[in-house]
């Protein structure tokens, strides 16, 4: 998942988003080690957050705390 830095113009973010999700050139995708880019939202990674919380609960030293 790629994110934008805070403060970017919303129209510019949309241009970048569209540019990525419309890439269909295999050589260009190869640079990113990708087959495609798809739109995502924050909730798409909730399962990862759940896994991290479970791992931290079982072994507090397994995952470094965010700084």
């Amino acid at each position: 998942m790629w994110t934008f830095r805070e403060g970017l113009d919303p129209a510019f973010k949309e241009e970048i988003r569209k540019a990525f999700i419309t890439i269909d050139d295999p050589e260009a995708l190869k640079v990113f080690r990708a087959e495609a880019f798809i739109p995502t939202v924050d909730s798409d990674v909730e399962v990862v957050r759940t896994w991290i919380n479970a791992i931290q609960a079982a072994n507090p030293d397994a995952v470094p705390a965010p700084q």
Side-chain angles (χ1 to χ4, degrees):
M1 178 181 265
W2 291 44
T3 61
F4 293 103
R5 71 170 171 80
E6 189 175 344
L8 280 181
D9 176 63
F12 182 57
K13 290 194 306 189
E14 182 60 17
E15 287 180 41
I16 294 170
R17 186 190 74 78
K18 284 182 181 177
F20 271 93
I21 64 174
T22 59
I23 297 173
D24 60 1
D25 177 348
E27 288 303 310
L29 289 165
K30 191 176 180 181
V31 171
F32 297 98
R33 297 181 182 159
E35 295 178 14
F37 288 97
I38 59 170
T40 62
V41 293
D42 186 66
S43 62
D44 291 339
V45 295
E46 192 58 38
V47 68
V48 176
R49 290 184 186 105
T50 301
W51 294 339
I52 290 171
N53 290 338
I55 292 167
Q56 285 176 325
N59 184 355
D61 296 327
V63 180
Q67 296 181 3

